[in-house]
Amino acid sequence: MVVLKLRVIMALGLISVLRVLWFRLSVRFGFNSVKWLQADVPEGPFFTAGVIPPGLAKGYQYAPSGFGCVPVNGDRTPPDWHRSILTRRRCVNPDYPWYLIPDFDHDLGDIKGVWELSRWDWVLGFAREYCEGKAEGLTKLEIWLDDWVTANPPYFGPNWKCGQEASIRVMHLAMAAIMLGNVNKPEASLLKLVEVHMQRIAPTINYAIAQDNNHGTSEAAALFIGGAWLAIHGIVEGERWQRQGRKWLENRARRLIEEDGSFSQYSVNYHRVVLDTFSMVEVWRRSQALPAFTEHWYVKTAVATEWLRAMLQPAGDAPNLGANDGARLLPLAATDYRDYRPSVQLASALFCQQRAIQGHGEWNVPLGLLGVEVPKTQAPAIGSALFDHGGYAILRNRVCFALLRYPRFRFRPGQADALHLDLWLGECNLLRDGGSFGYNTKEPWQRYFPGVESHNTVQFDDRDQMPRLSRFLFGEWLKTTLFEPLKETADGPTVSAGYCDYKGACHTRKVTLGKDRLSVEDEVSGFSKSAVLRWRLMPGEWKLKGQTATMGDVSIAVIASVPIVRCKLVEGWESRYYGQKTPLPVLEVGLAKPGHLTTEITWGTL
């Protein structure tokens, strides 16, 4: 185990590990100034009535919710800021300094249930209401802000615990100020509220950077935006924060975004988080006519935009790939949480100077609210595509989208999803990923959702693909040992990849997309007792006859070169929204000997 942990430390990067260790020791023993912060509670009003942008649709009414699925206070009165919207339990020590509150309180449950409403999505929601002609929106915004700052005095309670959560609040204040015309002549109380947050974020930026994920991008963005805002209005410290934020924004884009646009967290939803973050940074920079970032930064943001555009499905959904914590960082459009079009449209306009989405719809609303012109040029259609730096192969034709995930782990993997296959027929997600459900939940769910059972791949000997070292960390990161790049053949686009795990079990998968079928060939070997192939199916009335599962005109037939010892439909689970899980049928096919499996998926006319 010691050797295993040393390998992971080297894979994570010694500097990153030392940064985390130093942060924890410095807070514990009082070396870090963040432990001794003090500030008065800012007093409103925070925003003033601005000029309503022309041309916006009227009649929008904001409905507060959490994680895109949990309704909150239908009467639109301020919620209990210390009560979890997931468990309905309340934090028992909201008057404690933030650093005395545990990361994982078993009585409270997942702390994200408390944090969710303190990300201030409602700041944007009420601001949009006002911009569309409802004066009540501004009134509600003031009431909720005043209630929040009273209930959450600076640096006390769970909502001050995380620098990223504080950073999201800063970004939302800035975007609302743009919408309401309050950037250049803000209330003193608004600037004070920003400054109080900046003092919390700045001392812990090195810890955020050490994570090599969206913590660093979010906190760098807040330093840049908040620092520039304060500097404009004569607050000397703001200039230093702005420079620090700009430096880390450049650094994070260079390090965390691969040359093909893949992001370090190997997650569709976290990709949206970083893209929304960079979009808000650029919107803010343009609004204040600040110097541009380097050319390399814009190259990285452009390829990251194209990566997410390649994942889009016709109605805006995308594969539920990788960790999904329910984050939607810029919820200005009145669309479902799983609709990625507003984020892609804004980023495409800012970084690619193209429309990603045709026509008129809610996906254009964020552009109008934030003063971004809809480009006249339409982005070209995306067909089959390979993002090899991140380990993603997309096979596409007129009706079908297939995504093969293979291991290219330069950063820590969040899920055991090697050789997972996602399949969409039109808007129907036929073969689907399990999602995340919760980051602090009970077993078996804590292991089930990030584990191999939640993916359309093969499980060996009833174990995971990689040994789990902690809640968010796997050891023995997988490497692709066989790879045949995406190519066009007479049968259609095809791609192959394979790996061998830390115990010598090997899996190779070849995927070929034909006109009316998808063929999957799996070669498995090196295991001791069993290999189980799982196809996690779209909920519906599936029937199994022999080794063929059918629903309507969709058929999934499996054959093998060795005896199949198990073939049955069982109940599995998926989480399409954070904190919620629903059942779905799973076709399980088991082998006791090494062999070759062929799955033929066919469908009728769509």
Side-chain angles (χ1 to χ4, degrees):
M1 182 58 75
V2 173
V3 173
L4 178 57
K5 289 184 176 180
L6 286 174
R7 285 188 195 139
V8 172
I9 287 173
M10 298 309 295
L12 290 170
L14 187 58
I15 291 176
S16 293
V17 173
L18 291 175
R19 277 178 170 149
V20 171
L21 181 61
W22 172 250
F23 167 77
R24 290 176 177 168
L25 291 175
S26 67
V27 172
R28 180 176 180 179
F29 294 108
F31 306 145
N32 194 312
S33 62
V34 73
K35 191 171 180 178
W36 310 112
L37 291 174
Q38 293 183 349
D40 295 329
V41 177
E43 296 183 3
F46 298 99
F47 287 99
T48 56
V51 177
I52 297 175
L56 289 175
K58 307 299 180 183
Y60 171 77
Q61 180 161 325
Y62 175 62
S65 68
F67 303 115
C69 63
V70 182
V72 175
N73 290 23
D75 60 359
R76 307 205 306 169
T77 56
D80 182 343
W81 303 109
H82 301 131
R83 188 178 299 281
S84 170
I85 64 172
L86 294 174
T87 66
R88 305 311 304 165
R89 301 191 195 113
R90 196 173 193 276
C91 181
V92 297
N93 45 17
D95 55 344
Y96 281 22
W98 67 266
Y99 53 83
L100 294 179
I101 297 172
D103 290 338
F104 299 103
D105 186 331
H106 293 292
D107 293 328
L108 179 64
D110 194 339
I111 198 172
K112 286 180 62 61
V114 175
W115 287 349
E116 177 67 6
L117 299 183
S118 290
R119 288 187 159 190
W120 294 0
D121 289 6
W122 44 267
V123 167
L124 300 177
F126 289 134
R128 177 178 172 181
E129 268 194 7
Y130 177 81
C131 289
E132 296 199 11
K134 288 190 175 182
E136 178 192 9
L138 188 59
T139 302
K140 289 289 183 183
L141 174 53
E142 287 294 325
I143 291 172
W144 282 48
L145 271 178
D146 184 71
D147 194 74
W148 192 94
V149 299
T150 301
N152 297 274
Y155 322 128
F156 287 86
N159 291 316
W160 286 103
K161 185 166 180 58
C162 179
Q164 184 182 34
E165 301 301 310
S167 299
I168 293 170
R169 293 196 288 269
V170 170
M171 287 186 272
H172 285 170
L173 286 176
M175 296 303 104
I178 289 175
M179 293 160 61
L180 298 171
N182 281 201
V183 175
N184 295 323
K185 293 183 179 180
E187 294 283 349
S189 55
L190 180 57
L191 289 181
K192 180 62 177 177
L193 186 57
V194 172
E195 186 177 11
V196 164
H197 278 77
M198 300 297 287
Q199 290 169 343
R200 168 63 185 87
I201 298 162
T204 59
I205 182 64
N206 282 325
Y207 173 74
I209 296 302
Q211 305 305 307
D212 275 340
N213 62 16
N214 61 76
H215 281 255
T217 56
S218 299
E219 294 181 40
L223 287 172
F224 174 75
I225 292 171
W229 200 357
L230 297 175
I232 290 167
H233 296 287
I235 298 174
V236 177
E237 193 72 4
E239 184 58 41
R240 182 174 70 86
W241 288 330
Q242 178 189 2
R243 289 197 305 271
Q244 191 179 23
R246 182 183 285 270
K247 178 190 79 169
W248 284 120
L249 283 168
E250 292 277 7
N251 175 279
R252 295 296 83 187
R254 183 170 59 252
R255 174 166 171 77
L256 303 185
I257 298 176
E258 304 283 10
E259 296 302 316
D260 63 6
S262 304
F263 181 55
S264 67
Q265 288 187 272
Y266 311 116
S267 158
V268 169
N269 203 60
Y270 279 144
H271 198 104
R272 174 169 66 177
V273 168
V274 74
L275 205 58
D276 281 346
T277 301
F278 287 160
S279 291
M280 285 189 277
V281 164
E282 180 64 6
V283 165
W284 181 263
R285 185 200 68 77
R286 292 186 184 187
S287 76
Q288 298 306 296
L290 297 170
F293 291 92
T294 63
E295 181 180 356
H296 187 259
W297 192 82
Y298 290 105
V299 169
K300 286 297 187 77
T301 54
V303 293
T305 301
E306 288 297 279
W307 186 98
L308 190 54
R309 186 168 78 90
M311 298 290 172
L312 278 181
Q313 302 306 307
D317 203 348
N320 201 16
L321 189 75
N324 184 345
D325 73 345
R328 182 166 57 149
L329 219 58
L330 194 55
L332 281 171
T335 56
D336 185 78
Y337 160 79
R338 295 198 57 86
D339 190 340
Y340 288 76
R341 288 174 296 181
S343 294
V344 175
Q345 186 80 323
L346 177 60
S348 187
L350 291 169
F351 304 127
C352 304
Q353 294 75 52
Q354 299 179 125
R355 291 192 318 273
I357 317 299
Q358 294 183 359
H360 301 285
E362 280 287 320
W363 50 83
N364 287 327
V365 168
L367 283 72
L369 289 168
L370 298 174
V372 178
E373 185 176 349
V374 179
K376 296 180 180 179
T377 303
Q378 178 65 43
I382 294 180
S384 297
L386 184 67
F387 298 94
D388 187 50
H389 286 82
Y392 311 93
I394 293 173
L395 294 78
R396 250 195 178 106
N397 63 23
R398 185 181 61 83
V399 298
C400 181
F401 168 100
L403 169 65
L404 177 66
R405 172 81 179 108
Y406 56 96
R408 295 286 197 210
F409 297 135
R410 191 162 69 92
F411 300 93
R412 56 177 168 165
Q415 296 197 343
D417 60 357
L419 302 190
H420 166 80
L421 183 68
D422 228 71
L423 175 63
W424 296 68
L425 299 179
E427 297 178 7
C428 297
N429 189 186
L430 184 68
L431 302 180
R432 45 181 63 190
D433 199 307
S436 295
F437 179 54
Y439 286 172
N440 181 22
T441 187
K442 297 178 180 179
E443 294 295 357
W445 312 118
Q446 191 71 57
R447 290 182 174 270
Y448 176 81
F449 281 97
V452 65
E453 291 177 79
S454 282
H455 300 97
N456 296 312
T457 186
V458 173
Q459 180 179 23
F460 294 114
D461 296 327
D462 298 320
R463 57 177 166 82
D464 242 327
Q465 295 175 328
M466 299 168 284
R468 183 178 290 279
L469 301 183
S470 67
R471 188 184 302 270
F472 298 116
L473 187 62
F474 286 104
E476 300 288 7
W477 299 357
L478 296 174
K479 295 182 179 180
T480 294
T481 54
L482 179 148
F483 183 62
E484 296 181 6
L486 182 67
K487 62 182 179 181
E488 289 291 336
T489 69
D491 294 323
T494 186
V495 65
S496 299
Y499 72 87
C500 291
D501 72 11
Y502 68 110
K503 289 194 172 184
C506 298
H507 179 198
T508 299
R509 171 165 282 182
K510 179 180 180 180
V511 182
T512 304
L513 175 61
K515 183 178 180 181
D516 59 356
R517 69 187 58 237
L518 185 76
S519 299
V520 184
E521 297 179 52
D522 292 303
E523 192 78 34
V524 295
S525 63
F527 55 94
S528 298
K529 296 179 180 179
S530 65
V532 178
L533 169 66
R534 289 186 179 88
W535 294 122
R536 299 166 47 83
L537 308 173
M538 179 177 71
E541 297 299 321
W542 288 89
K543 298 178 182 179
L544 181 63
K545 185 175 182 180
Q547 294 160 198
T548 301
T550 58
M551 183 178 71
D553 57 3
V554 175
S555 171
I556 301 176
V558 183
I559 59 173
S561 63
V562 295
I564 292 176
V565 298
R566 169 186 172 89
C567 185
K568 62 189 302 185
L569 285 172
V570 301
E571 183 179 70
W573 295 86
E574 67 173 344
S575 177
R576 293 175 57 77
Y577 299 86
Y578 192 77
Q580 292 190 2
K581 65 181 188 295
T582 54
L584 83 173
V586 180
L587 176 61
E588 289 189 350
V589 180
L591 302 182
K593 296 180 180 180
H596 187 93
L597 291 141
T598 299
T599 304
E600 287 284 341
I601 305 172
T602 59
W603 54 87
T605 303
L606 294 180

